[in-house]
Amino acid sequence: MAMTLRLDDERERRLRLVADEEGRSMHAVVVTAIDDYLARRNAKEFGDLADEIIERHATLLARLAE
């Protein structure tokens, strides 16, 4: 799917600087940033779910640890 990403001048300038420093296209930098964001978000959701399970089953987990 193609999409248009509209950036204000300052964000575009900063993105271009990063891309130039890394020797990559602006597109590649944006795709990497999106992938990193999605991975962090998924990890947080997993961590939140794990915390909920640990809290809900704390007694059982403590008994299993004995």
Side-chain angles (χ1 to χ4, degrees), residues 28-61:
V29 174
V30 169
V31 168
T32 299
I34 291 169
D35 289 345
D36 290 348
Y37 169 79
L38 294 173
R40 284 192 317 272
R41 188 171 187 269
N42 287 341
K44 182 187 179 319
E45 289 174 359
F46 178 80
D48 291 347
L49 181 59
D51 290 345
E52 181 181 322
I53 291 169
I54 290 169
E55 184 177 324
R56 185 180 326 149
H57 300 289
T59 303
L60 174 61
L61 291 170

Side-chain angles (χ1 to χ4, degrees), residues 1-22:
M1 175 182 89
M3 66 175 280
T4 301
L5 177 63
R6 292 182 179 86
L7 299 173
D8 59 53
D9 291 342
E10 179 59 17
R11 283 191 175 98
E12 181 181 351
R13 182 189 71 76
R14 291 170 53 200
L15 177 59
R16 189 176 306 280
L17 285 172
V18 169
D20 289 346
E21 287 175 5
E22 295 181 1

